[in-house]
Amino acid sequence: MLRRMWISVGIPVLLMLLGAFISIAAAVAVYVSYRPSLHIWHTTLLQGEFTANSKTADWNSYLLLEEALFNQLDRKIIRRVPTTEQMDFNRFSAGSKSDPARWSTNWNRSSEWPVPDARFGVLLLHGYSDSPYSLRSIGQSLQANGGQVLALRIPGHGTAPSALRTTTAEDMNAAVSLAMAYLHEQLPNKPIIIVGYSNGAALALVHTFAAINDGSTARPAALVLLSPEVGISPIAALATWQAWIGEILGVNQLAWDTIEAEFDPFKYNSFAVNAGAQAYRMTELVRAQIDMLTASGRLQEVPPILAFESEADATVTASAVKQELFDRLDSGDAELVLFDVNRVFEQEGLIDGQSGFKAALSGPPHRYAISIVTNKSSQDPAAVVQQRPAMSDEVTTQDIGLNWPKDVYSLAHIALPFPPDDPLYGDGTNGNPDSLNLGGTILRGEEGRLQIPATAMTRQHWNPFYPYMERRILKFVDGVVSINK
């Protein structure tokens, strides 16, 4: 009888599962048929990257691992790129215009910029799929102002996009802790400032909150955050199912969210689904740590924070920075600087949706200051900053001496750290004729003929208000250093 029941129930269930498997396999086959092919830099996994379980105890050991990793990159990927893929704009094609070796400094690697009798230390933490190049300009300004800078190549970055298939949030956090310990050792009794961009901002927050929760002395004196990754779509966390199905079916393309040409010398264009999952994991860690601070009543120990964010940020959830971070702080030493959209384009009806930033200047007073960089009027490209101090109802307006460029309707997540004269991402006025310029190039023609995706030419890469942002950062850091003397 049991056998008959098993046959009557079990066989239909098995047939349903088999049908579901066949349907999934068919859907995957169709999906993959429309996806680009994978290349050696997608499929080759380098060995020896730093992880949270590495027996690497100090900064010099980290650099030795990094040196071995880049030697392996050269042997296993760059030297093995097929002739048919050695294009003018391929970062893995030796001698191409996208080859990082064409630059006097390979900004994909960690570096330290010593300063005699430094007044303070700086740790630069770049974003996901990025490299230390993204914070190069800010780091150089802080070095000129007396700061000893350490630019960390975060694990999984700077080599090949395949590394993002295995790197975890814990690996990245462990590297930050190692770098901070080194800076505190090199600069005893000197304030250390962390500058974090995107995922680097989340790393900065997790390290800081964890140090307070754990009672560690290796805390930063202040944080500067650009396009901070505090909230992203939960869909990113579910992407690991796509990679899991790909493992079962033996379809490597499913390990990737995007597969694109690698034309950028200092940033991956292909993005592994694991990277999205780990980015979401970072936002969970930020929330968990701030929850612990709230429960223990230690929010007042959070150091001063100066953060910059664009209203038009398609990478992270813009509202999360205010709602899930700043609104929870219990300190008057924090300020959120928001870059509005270009209201001239809004007046002309070309921008979809209303900016929600204006509401930040009204309502009950905040425990932190808020500044909004916006148009002087909806017909005027001149920019002003509207500022509301902490615990105040007063809003002041100040001219900053900068204008919206006539063809820029908003900033972008990737634009904030780069000045207009950046040789790679700037407006083209200071480009290197022997290499690629991504920020100032405008090409017109038929689709499907460029080596570089058209979207790479339309997304805003540089910040027209960078001079204002830099002034604010230098003033903020000077204030922190003077207090911590």
Side-chain angles (χ1 to χ4, degrees), residues 176-214:
V176 172
S177 295
L178 188 148
M180 280 294 285
Y182 173 76
L183 275 173
H184 278 285
E185 177 186 310
Q186 292 295 303
L187 301 168
N189 303 317
K190 298 288 180 69
I192 308 297
I193 288 87
I194 301 181
V195 180
Y197 165 49
S198 189
N199 186 65
L203 287 166
L205 290 167
V206 169
H207 175 84
T208 302
F209 295 162
I212 297 172
N213 283 317
D214 298 341

Side-chain angles (χ1 to χ4, degrees), residues 418-480:
F418 302 108
D421 63 354
D422 185 90
L424 178 59
Y425 301 114
D427 61 10
T429 57
N430 191 36
N432 183 346
D434 295 325
S435 65
L436 178 66
N437 174 262
L438 290 170
T441 304
I442 300 176
L443 302 176
R444 296 179 175 88
E446 184 56 274
E447 62 180 348
R449 299 307 303 269
L450 289 174
Q451 292 186 29
I452 300 171
T455 53
M457 303 300 180
T458 57
R459 196 177 185 191
Q460 181 64 15
H461 281 77
W462 51 275
N463 184 355
F465 310 113
Y466 181 89
Y468 165 78
M469 187 179 75
E470 182 183 70
R471 291 196 300 268
R472 292 298 314 276
I473 292 173
L474 294 178
K475 182 179 179 180
F476 173 75
V477 170
D478 278 340
V480 169

Side-chain angles (χ1 to χ4, degrees), residues 85-287:
E85 296 174 7
Q86 293 179 6
M87 298 178 291
D88 287 338
F89 296 104
N90 179 357
R91 68 181 282 175
F92 300 108
S93 179
S96 75
K97 292 188 176 182
S98 296
D99 183 358
R102 295 183 74 106
W103 295 68
S104 57
T105 299
N106 185 348
W107 293 101
N108 285 312
R109 305 184 66 161
S110 300
S111 61
E112 186 178 6
W113 315 343
V115 171
D117 194 25
R119 298 193 301 130
F120 58 95
V122 179
L123 176 61
L124 303 179
L125 301 177
H126 62 78
Y128 233 125
S129 78
D130 220 333
S131 72
Y133 182 87
S134 62
L135 293 172
R136 176 187 68 101
S137 294
I138 292 173
Q140 289 173 341
S141 296
L142 290 168
Q143 182 192 31
N145 204 37
Q148 181 159 318
V149 177
L150 191 157
L152 174 66
R153 181 199 64 88
I154 294 168
H157 295 79
T159 54
S162 56
L164 295 187
R165 289 169 52 192
T166 57
T167 301
T168 68
E170 286 71 22
D171 297 335
M172 295 183 280
N173 282 313
V176 172
S177 295
L178 188 148
M180 280 294 285
Y182 173 76
L183 275 173
H184 278 285
E185 177 186 310
Q186 292 295 303
L187 301 168
N189 303 317
K190 298 288 180 69
I192 308 297
I193 288 87
I194 301 181
V195 180
Y197 165 49
S198 189
N199 186 65
L203 287 166
L205 290 167
V206 169
H207 175 84
T208 302
F209 295 162
I212 297 172
N213 283 317
D214 298 341
S216 171
T217 57
R219 307 180 192 179
L223 303 177
V224 176
L225 311 178
L226 283 68
S227 302
E229 178 191 272
V230 176
I232 61 174
S233 172
I235 294 175
L238 301 176
T240 50
W241 284 94
Q242 176 179 313
W244 180 73
I245 293 172
E247 289 284 341
I248 293 176
L249 298 177
V251 181
N252 292 330
Q253 277 100 332
L254 291 183
W256 296 91
D257 182 40
T258 57
I259 303 170
E260 292 188 0
E262 296 299 329
F263 54 84
D264 192 321
F266 302 122
K267 181 180 179 65
Y268 303 148
N269 296 306
S270 303
F271 200 71
V273 294
N274 176 66
Q278 297 305 317
Y280 184 75
R281 168 77 176 143
M282 284 300 306
T283 64
E284 287 187 312
L285 291 173
V286 171
R287 282 192 292 271

Side-chain angles (χ1 to χ4, degrees), residues 182-448:
Y182 173 76
L183 275 173
H184 278 285
E185 177 186 310
Q186 292 295 303
L187 301 168
N189 303 317
K190 298 288 180 69
I192 308 297
I193 288 87
I194 301 181
V195 180
Y197 165 49
S198 189
N199 186 65
L203 287 166
L205 290 167
V206 169
H207 175 84
T208 302
F209 295 162
I212 297 172
N213 283 317
D214 298 341
S216 171
T217 57
R219 307 180 192 179
L223 303 177
V224 176
L225 311 178
L226 283 68
S227 302
E229 178 191 272
V230 176
I232 61 174
S233 172
I235 294 175
L238 301 176
T240 50
W241 284 94
Q242 176 179 313
W244 180 73
I245 293 172
E247 289 284 341
I248 293 176
L249 298 177
V251 181
N252 292 330
Q253 277 100 332
L254 291 183
W256 296 91
D257 182 40
T258 57
I259 303 170
E260 292 188 0
E262 296 299 329
F263 54 84
D264 192 321
F266 302 122
K267 181 180 179 65
Y268 303 148
N269 296 306
S270 303
F271 200 71
V273 294
N274 176 66
Q278 297 305 317
Y280 184 75
R281 168 77 176 143
M282 284 300 306
T283 64
E284 287 187 312
L285 291 173
V286 171
R287 282 192 292 271
Q289 290 290 346
I290 200 169
D291 284 345
M292 290 174 63
L293 287 178
T294 303
S296 62
R298 304 186 70 175
L299 280 172
Q300 289 186 334
E301 296 181 43
V302 174
I305 299 176
L306 176 63
F308 300 86
E309 181 187 20
S310 170
E311 187 272 345
D313 193 319
T315 302
V316 300
T317 306
S319 60
V321 179
K322 180 181 182 299
Q323 296 170 1
E324 298 183 27
L325 176 61
F326 276 82
D327 284 348
R328 300 188 64 180
L329 295 177
D330 187 16
S331 170
D333 295 329
E335 181 172 359
L336 178 58
V337 181
L338 306 169
F339 294 105
D340 202 359
V341 298
N342 186 346
R343 297 289 177 148
V344 171
F345 282 82
E346 184 182 59
Q347 175 71 17
E348 295 174 354
L350 292 172
I351 293 181
D352 183 22
Q354 295 288 321
S355 166
F357 277 3
K358 288 291 186 179
L361 296 176
S362 59
H366 302 290
R367 290 188 295 271
Y368 53 92
I370 293 184
S371 295
I372 300 179
V373 177
T374 187
N375 295 72
K376 184 176 291 185
S377 74
S378 59
Q379 292 84 31
D380 194 337
V384 296
V385 58
Q386 297 176 334
Q387 186 172 34
R388 185 184 187 186
M391 300 308 297
S392 173
D393 290 321
E394 182 183 5
V395 177
T396 60
T397 301
Q398 180 183 358
D399 194 330
I400 61 174
L402 297 168
N403 296 325
W404 275 103
K406 65 179 181 179
D407 56 351
V408 176
Y409 60 86
S410 79
L411 299 190
H413 178 84
I414 60 174
L416 267 64
F418 302 108
D421 63 354
D422 185 90
L424 178 59
Y425 301 114
D427 61 10
T429 57
N430 191 36
N432 183 346
D434 295 325
S435 65
L436 178 66
N437 174 262
L438 290 170
T441 304
I442 300 176
L443 302 176
R444 296 179 175 88
E446 184 56 274
E447 62 180 348

